[in-house]
Amino acid sequence: FPFIPDRERSHGRERGGPSDSLDTTIGELLRRPEFDGYAEYLLPLEFGYRDDWTMRDIPRLLPYHTGVDPEASVAILNRLSERARRGEKVWIDLGREDVGLFAFPGRKGAPFVIVCPGGGFAYVGSIHEGFPYAEAFAAEGMNAFVLQYRTGSGRWACEDLADAILKVRTMRTRPDATP
């Protein structure tokens, strides 16, 4: 079922409003089949969370960030969910634990950008500093990627970025690759 429920509701009210989407729990998000294999990278979970926290609690997961908008975060997660359910390649595993790319395709053959979200090398704040920028770049036609890198060391993050650049450049030379 979609992350934001369909507009029909058994008691006649429209679904998909802020109260419905913001009431989804983190546990429900992490168990969605369309996110199988990479759900744990959608939100920064390094500092811990409770399965019953709702999307309203997203700011609690990003202690080094301010202005985190749960409604905007839910909207992005819904768009990722919809793309994944349509069979689009949303996650590209880079072959190392905790490392991969979220793909936001633009025009075929267009330049690419890799967004490296912050989090003080303690967590990766993709929901706040990655996905929104990648969507904006893709809307302008660029092929955007959000790097999920290993935390704990700037060196590891730089190694992961180098691997990501190599992967994207390699993908671009294959006619069957995305993007």
Side-chain angles (χ1 to χ4, degrees):
F1 62 102
F3 186 64
I4 284 184
D6 296 334
R7 290 206 166 280
E8 299 168 9
R9 180 175 241 175
S10 58
H11 17 93
R13 216 173 59 149
E14 275 199 348
R15 287 188 86 160
S19 63
D20 292 323
S21 56
L22 291 174
D23 290 333
T24 301
T25 68
I26 290 174
E28 289 169 334
L29 171 73
L30 297 177
R31 290 187 293 275
R32 297 219 183 263
E34 65 267 31
F35 296 139
D36 188 41
Y38 58 91
E40 67 271 24
Y41 306 125
L42 294 167
L43 299 171
L45 305 176
E46 288 83 358
F47 293 132
Y49 68 95
R50 289 184 18 189
D51 210 44
D52 64 345
W53 282 359
T54 68
M55 296 298 108
R56 296 176 202 284
D57 294 307
I58 287 176
R60 296 171 78 175
L61 301 172
L62 295 113
Y64 302 154
H65 291 86
T66 59
V68 178
D69 180 352
E71 287 184 20
S73 298
V74 166
I76 288 170
L77 291 167
N78 280 315
R79 289 188 292 275
L80 281 171
S81 173
E82 184 178 316
R83 289 179 48 219
R85 283 184 282 112
R86 285 195 311 251
E88 288 184 35
K89 189 170 191 114
V90 172
W91 172 254
I92 301 165
D93 192 316
L94 293 182
R96 183 180 287 150
E97 187 176 354
D98 297 329
V99 181
L101 291 166
F102 285 95
F104 294 81
R107 289 187 313 272
K108 190 163 185 70
F112 72 88
V113 61
I114 298 176
V115 180
C116 302
F121 301 113
Y123 65 85
V124 181
S126 296
I127 191 67
H128 182 63
E129 285 189 355
F131 301 154
Y133 294 104
E135 282 188 334
F137 282 122
E140 294 297 320
M142 294 183 74
N143 293 295
F145 301 88
V146 177
L147 178 63
Q148 171 65 40
Y149 54 87
R150 292 171 292 165
T151 58
S153 163
R155 178 183 174 147
W156 294 343
C158 289
E159 290 171 357
D160 297 342
L161 176 58
D163 288 348
I165 293 168
L166 180 62
K167 177 70 170 181
V168 172
R169 290 184 65 147
T170 302
M171 286 177 7
R172 291 171 58 86
T173 62
R174 293 187 6 237
D176 63 328
T178 301

